[in-house]
Amino acid sequence: MFFVCNEDEDSLSTDSHCVIVHCDELVEAGEEYQGFVELDEYGAEPPDEPYRIESFYVSMIVYDDGSRWKDRFGFWAP
């Protein structure tokens, strides 16, 4: 999950500036994962200035054995 806004703190869309992304890729221990988030579905127009991303964090990890690690509010985010 992360929040997107422009330099004036205006949100990405009229609904919310919160973007939630689900990653269904299997990522092994010690590996890195890079992904791409398409913002078109949020009604984003190409901005004059770049958007800012704030408060990016992982809210849940599901392990192979089905157990889950959760951080719903980003307390463990750096």
Side-chain angles (χ1 to χ4, degrees):
M1 176 180 356
F2 58 91
F3 298 95
V4 179
C5 58
N6 66 16
E7 65 181 11
D8 297 324
E9 302 291 327
D10 296 328
S11 67
L12 183 63
S13 73
T14 56
D15 296 333
S16 172
H17 61 275
C18 176
V19 177
I20 299 174
V21 179
H22 297 271
C23 171
D24 294 325
E25 299 293 321
L26 177 62
V27 181
E28 297 291 336
E31 287 186 346
E32 294 182 11
Y33 174 77
Q34 292 185 17
F36 178 80
V37 178
E38 182 65 55
L39 298 177
D40 289 347
E41 69 184 76
Y42 294 92
E45 294 289 325
D48 294 332
E49 298 291 326
Y51 284 118
R52 282 195 339 242
I53 295 177
E54 297 179 343
S55 303
F56 176 85
Y57 70 93
V58 175
S59 59
M60 182 171 59
I61 298 173
V62 179
Y63 296 95
D64 278 344
D65 66 0
S67 62
R68 297 168 187 248
W69 173 88
K70 292 183 182 181
D71 180 14
R72 293 181 48 197
F73 302 108
F75 292 131
W76 294 98

